[in-house]
Amino acid sequence: MKPIGLHKEAGRLVLKSVIGMVLAIQLVSCSQPDPVDALLSKMTLEEKCGQLSCPIGFNYFSREGEGFRLAEDFTSRMDTMPLGSCWAVLRADPWSRKTVESGLKPGESVRLLNQMQRYAVENTRLGIPLLFCEETPHGHMAVGTTVFPTGLGMASTWNPELLEQVGEVMGREVHAQGAHVGYGPVLDIARDPRWSRVEETMGEDPCLSGVLGAAIVKGMQRHVVATLKHLAAYGIPQGGHNAATAELGPNRLMNEYLQAFEQAVREGGAGAVMTAYNTIDGVPCTANTWLLEEVLRQSWQFKGVVFADLNAVNALYATHHAAADPAEAAALALKAGVDIDLGGYNYGGFLKEALQRGLVSEQDIDRAVRHVLQLKHDLGLFDHPYIDEGLAEAEVGVEAHARLAKQVALESTVLLKNNGVLPFDKTMRKVAVIGPNADNMYNQLGDYTAPQDPDRIVTMFEGIRDKGRADEVRYARGCAVRDLAVDGIDEAVRLARWADAVVLVVGGSSARDFQTSYEETGAAIVDKRISDMDCGEGFDRSTLRLLGNQELLMQRIYDLGKPVVTVYIQGRPLDMNLAAERSDALLTMWYPGMEGGAALADILWNDYNPSGKLPISIPRSVGQLPVYYSQPVIGDYVEESSKPLYPFGYGLSYAQFEYSDLRVEVMQGQDTLCKVTCLVKNIGPCAGEEVVQLYVRDEVASIAPSSKLLKDFRKVGLEAGESRQVTFFLTQEELSVYNTQQGWHFEPGAFMVMIGGSSDDPKETETVTF
């Protein structure tokens, strides 16, 4: 298969072609029938329904000598109702029961998928090629691939150019192993950190999520189709429970929770979208015609494929009770706008039953099948169904990709506090690295991660030890993330007493293991056994406190009076009050991926000046939730401030930046309303990068306005003493508001323009009237 190499315009795949080729194609299309329609006209009902099914594929093969035997479950389905897609054939994790040893290596992956594709092309009546789909939230979830920081980490970079490179690498590695669709990025706006999937998201803000999401999509779609997850409002579940209902109306949904998806469709050109498990105001997303047809396809002009998440169609019957039986559930999803059902649910069979019962028409089925066939046509699968088997070794898990993973880990690290202990100086000769996340590779990788070769992962301890800047580096675990055992704490205290400085690595974990049980959706079932895992799909929390005896360990270390740098490895914003009060320095690295330890060492010894900014607010307590920067101004609680401990957009540097000379120039008679400029100067002792953030508050609006909204941002690097003018433009579209009476529209009036390095600390403000 040829790489897509596609531009995107309003979600439509547009082939890169010279003008002469375009004209030739147009002339041919005038005299020949559309190839998709021609193929559709030849298909039986069974063949059509098969195209809409995408079952889990990691059990569709077994090893046979140096090759593979295709499972009877796969071949029999291809012989009776040929499948249109397969999902997770290459997936390696405890759920698939594939380990580093038993999982497919990249070169084996492409050979297997070519073998399965050959069966589809050569042994079915019409020879329609399969669409292979794989998980790609922060790297391809398969053995031997590159593991990047998870979503919150990537978002902390505030660097769309860097994340476009990440998307390109993820797409390249998926394509080189024979697959065509990547599931990601996750663009759910996350405003309840109790929710178990916060780590996968780009945080709490629609502008940041949209810009970064579109960048990842652009990169991925140079090679494969990107799939936006999960439409919609999945990140604000009641009680923080995964898949719980989202209580909001159309005004807030449109103004706050759909913008990132729209931007990734219109600007990124995403070729696929996945529906969410939850309901919105009581309507399941997988059966929401307004969302999937009126908004996605009609308003956004989306031309791609809509997937229902794993078992989401069945959930219409079994969980939401919106359908009386599975056939009615399949009919609801199809008529709402779902094309492909993800998982083992017998979608095709139930659609046949629904047709026989008059719940759907064959035209309904044809519409969805046409979307699937069109995507395969745009990918070039009918002409090039197979992948060059030499690509995998040259393009998967290579050193250049590991270097990129390290750069993302560097830029994603957020410095939250520093009393001067960082960067380390020459007096820090003996360093103690302590904590449950200091030398545990899986605890730093996040959910949706394949089993790893330890030689490819750099833990915090390994990175600091191998840096070679300290004369001696020692490690003690101290305690577990969740287990209440205390027998290691005394040893850790003795080690800390020996050291000149302590790096204390605490937090959480999304590391799965072979003892974890799973629901049919892949979500973990929490059992009585105490593992480190406190986050990841299925691990919702009722509090945000550090579990186990981590705070006891921290107190004992802080009581020694030694210089302490506390590092949080976490999948959600956890309670940081103790560290904020007592630690000399505090960083969050979220889940920093395979190069996390090397990145931390560079930051400690000033080989990299931290530049990360928070993509989500860090609350003081769970009682504040939800707490996010754009909430209307409210009063304090009796017990504490209503402001977060650390706000959205916040992050320190070893440098210091000064803002001045804000100017807002109104531009008449154009869609661009104004030009905004300001001067940023590095007044610190060293070079650094600052994320210049532009916020706007609508002073009066038909929908109660937010306290402020991020509208643009720019990451700029400045040498010590260097100044630079930063320029933004604000358009009518960016300042428009949605209400159900008027739709999207611009309301003239007064707007406050704010610029600074954090959402809660605008350095320069000016009010302008349009």
Side-chain angles (χ1 to χ4, degrees):
M1 189 194 79
K2 296 178 180 177
I4 300 178
L6 301 176
H7 290 305
K8 313 297 175 182
E9 291 178 5
R12 183 186 299 273
L13 300 176
V14 182
L15 292 171
K16 287 183 179 177
S17 305
V18 296
I19 294 176
M21 290 178 64
V22 171
L23 292 174
I25 291 171
Q26 290 175 340
L27 288 172
V28 170
S29 67
C30 293
S31 58
Q32 295 185 0
D34 180 85
V36 169
D37 285 339
L39 178 57
L40 186 60
S41 69
K42 300 175 184 177
M43 296 175 70
T44 65
L45 178 60
E46 285 75 14
E47 289 166 335
K48 291 176 182 179
C49 291
Q51 287 299 306
L52 306 182
S53 297
C54 184
I56 300 166
F58 52 66
N59 290 321
Y60 276 175
F61 69 96
S62 59
R63 292 184 180 275
E64 186 176 61
E66 295 298 314
F68 306 98
R69 176 191 295 273
L70 300 183
E72 183 179 351
D73 189 24
F74 171 73
T75 56
S76 63
R77 294 190 72 166
M78 295 302 294
D79 294 343
T80 55
M81 184 183 285
L83 298 169
S85 311
C86 279
W87 167 63
V89 177
L90 309 181
R91 179 173 178 144
D93 69 342
W95 187 33
S96 66
R97 300 297 186 260
K98 301 296 191 298
T99 66
V100 172
E101 294 74 26
S102 65
L104 298 171
K105 307 303 184 290
E108 295 175 319
S109 297
V110 66
R111 291 199 301 274
L112 171 64
L113 294 193
N114 276 347
Q115 183 177 342
M116 294 175 69
Q117 190 73 285
R118 191 167 290 108
Y119 192 94
V121 171
E122 297 179 0
N123 292 276
T124 62
R125 189 178 72 91
L126 295 175
I128 300 173
L130 284 161
L131 200 63
F132 291 112
C133 310
E134 293 289 319
E135 296 283 1
T136 54
H138 59 111
H140 180 200
M141 192 180 178
V143 172
T145 61
T146 305
V147 185
F148 292 98
T150 51
L152 283 181
M154 287 193 276
S156 295
T157 69
W158 292 59
N159 189 338
E161 292 77 20
L162 181 66
L163 295 198
E164 186 171 341
Q165 295 178 51
V166 171
E168 195 276 335
V169 166
M170 292 193 296
R172 180 183 295 274
E173 293 195 353
V174 169
H175 168 259
Q177 293 177 88
H180 317 108
V181 176
Y183 290 153
V186 175
L187 298 185
D188 304 300
I189 304 304
R191 290 176 174 173
D192 193 330
R194 296 173 298 176
W195 179 47
S196 54
R197 303 189 71 174
V198 171
E199 68 183 78
E200 302 174 46
T201 75
M202 298 286 158
E204 72 183 46
D205 181 68
C207 174
L208 180 64
S209 298
V211 171
L212 299 182
I216 293 172
V217 168
K218 288 176 184 177
M220 286 183 66
Q221 294 209 161
R222 294 176 192 161
H223 305 283
V224 298
V225 173
T227 307
L228 308 182
K229 298 167 61 176
H230 308 81
L231 199 66
Y234 188 38
I236 53 168
Q238 282 194 322
H241 290 293
N242 187 41
T245 189
E247 292 294 346
L248 76 168
N251 290 332
R252 288 194 61 213
L253 181 65
M254 293 292 285
N255 283 298
E256 300 178 47
Y257 295 95
L258 294 184
Q259 176 184 329
F261 289 91
E262 181 177 7
Q263 190 164 357
V265 167
R266 290 187 182 276
E267 297 180 16
V273 168
M274 185 179 292
T275 63
Y277 289 121
N278 58 285
T279 65
I280 298 174
D281 195 23
V283 180
C285 293
T286 303
N288 194 324
T289 305
W290 173 81
L291 180 65
L292 301 181
E293 288 293 337
E294 294 184 32
V295 175
L296 177 62
R297 290 205 182 273
Q298 296 175 26
S299 179
W300 300 352
Q301 293 295 292
F302 175 73
K303 303 299 181 184
V305 165
V306 175
F307 288 90
D309 205 345
L310 179 60
N311 280 337
V313 174
N314 186 56
L316 298 178
Y317 156 67
T319 303
H320 298 306
H321 306 289
D325 54 53
E328 189 174 316
L332 281 176
L334 181 72
K335 291 180 77 67
V338 169
D339 298 316
I340 298 177
D341 175 58
L342 176 62
Y345 179 73
N346 184 21
Y347 189 52
F350 289 129
L351 283 178
K352 281 185 63 179
E353 180 183 340
L355 178 64
Q356 294 165 357
R357 291 166 53 184
L359 300 175
V360 298
S361 68
E362 191 157 358
Q363 288 71 30
D364 293 325
I365 295 173
D366 287 352
R367 182 192 66 247
V369 174
R370 185 177 286 105
H371 293 153
V372 177
L373 296 178
Q374 186 65 56
L375 182 61
K376 293 181 179 183
H377 180 270
D378 291 335
L379 284 165
L381 287 180
F382 292 102
D383 296 323
H384 304 279
Y386 310 114
I387 303 297
D388 180 349
E389 296 185 359
L391 288 177
E393 184 175 347
E395 297 189 353
V396 178
V398 295
E399 181 58 34
H401 296 175
R403 289 195 298 270
L404 180 62
K406 180 181 177 181
Q407 185 62 35
V408 180
L410 286 167
E411 295 195 35
S412 69
T413 300
V414 185
L415 178 62
L416 299 171
K417 177 186 177 181
N418 185 19
N419 68 3
V421 69
L422 290 179
F424 282 167
D425 60 26
K426 294 181 180 179
T427 65
M428 305 301 188
R429 306 312 307 170
K430 297 185 295 183
V431 177
V433 186
I434 295 171
N437 285 340
D439 195 33
N440 185 322
M441 70 173 186
Y442 283 114
N443 282 12
Q444 72 185 54
L445 300 181
D447 204 3
Y448 285 87
T449 297
Q452 298 296 317
D453 178 350
D455 291 340
R456 300 183 68 238
I457 311 300
V458 184
T459 68
M460 305 299 118
F461 167 64
E462 291 169 341
I464 293 170
R465 180 197 63 195
D466 297 345
K467 186 71 176 174
R469 296 288 183 88
D471 292 337
E472 193 169 357
V473 178
R474 297 182 186 177
Y475 159 74
R477 182 170 181 245
C479 66
V481 170
R482 292 178 58 195
D483 194 281
L484 294 173
V486 298
D487 52 356
I489 292 181
D490 287 344
E491 176 194 356
V493 172
R494 287 193 295 271
L495 182 62
R497 189 175 287 116
W498 159 85
D500 295 322
V502 177
V503 179
L504 183 56
V505 191
V506 297
S509 170
S510 294
R512 300 182 184 271
D513 57 40
F514 281 99
Q515 282 71 49
T516 303
S517 299
Y518 296 89
E519 298 176 352
E520 291 184 358
T521 63
I525 299 173
V526 182
D527 59 23
K528 295 180 180 180
R529 183 185 49 84
I530 300 178
S531 71
D532 272 357
M533 192 171 182
D534 76 331
C535 195
E537 187 172 2
F539 279 72
D540 305 316
R541 293 283 304 274
S542 64
T543 75
L544 298 176
R545 64 181 178 86
L546 288 171
L547 296 180
N549 278 309
Q550 293 187 82
E551 289 207 351
L552 174 61
L553 173 66
M554 295 164 72
Q555 291 276 18
R556 293 281 304 276
I557 299 296
Y558 295 149
D559 286 345
L560 295 175
K562 295 279 186 172
V564 179
V565 177
T566 304
V567 180
Y568 271 65
I569 304 297
Q570 57 185 350
R572 55 163 60 88
L574 291 169
D575 187 327
M576 293 184 169
N577 290 287
L578 177 60
E581 178 185 352
R582 300 201 58 190
S583 188
D584 297 287
L586 174 61
L587 304 100
T588 180
M589 298 186 75
W590 307 112
Y591 292 137
M594 62 189 296
E595 292 287 332
L600 175 60
D602 280 2
I603 288 169
L604 294 177
W605 275 280
N606 202 19
D607 286 337
Y608 182 80
N609 186 348
S611 64
K613 299 282 188 175
L614 290 176
I616 189 169
S617 302
I618 307 291
R620 297 176 188 272
S621 70
V622 73
Q624 290 183 314
L625 301 180
V627 58
Y628 52 95
Y629 84 93
S630 57
Q631 286 173 304
V633 177
I634 51 180
D636 288 336
Y637 297 99
V638 171
E639 301 93 336
E640 62 186 351
S641 169
S642 62
K643 292 183 178 181
L645 182 65
Y646 295 110
F648 173 83
Y650 176 84
L652 301 175
S653 167
Y654 299 154
Q656 186 176 351
F657 303 97
E658 179 182 77
Y659 288 76
S660 63
D661 200 22
L662 173 63
R663 297 183 181 182
V664 181
E665 178 186 346
V666 177
M667 305 177 73
Q668 301 293 338
Q670 303 180 47
D671 178 62
T672 300
L673 294 171
C674 66
K675 176 182 177 181
V676 180
T677 60
C678 75
L679 194 66
V680 183
K681 183 177 182 180
N682 181 353
I683 60 173
C686 59
E689 294 173 291
E690 171 71 331
V691 178
V692 183
Q693 302 164 39
L694 172 66
Y695 295 90
V696 174
R697 180 172 70 236
D698 191 346
E699 300 289 19
V700 178
S702 58
I703 297 297
S706 301
S707 61
K708 61 175 73 72
L709 287 171
L710 181 72
K711 291 300 179 183
D712 208 345
F713 57 91
R714 196 90 71 247
K715 192 166 192 173
V716 295
L718 297 171
E719 297 295 325
E722 182 183 1
S723 300
R724 184 175 304 172
Q725 186 181 76
V726 180
T727 301
F728 301 101
F729 294 93
L730 287 171
T731 66
Q732 284 195 20
E733 182 178 356
E734 288 172 315
L735 299 185
S736 292
V737 65
Y738 177 91
N739 63 43
T740 53
Q741 289 75 37
Q742 297 168 277
W744 284 106
H745 64 289
F746 172 68
E747 298 178 352
F751 295 81
M752 178 172 283
V753 177
M754 297 163 272
I755 281 191
S758 172
S759 63
D760 78 330
D761 188 24
K763 301 299 184 182
E764 294 278 300
T765 65
E766 184 173 328
T767 299
V768 60
T769 300
F770 303 113

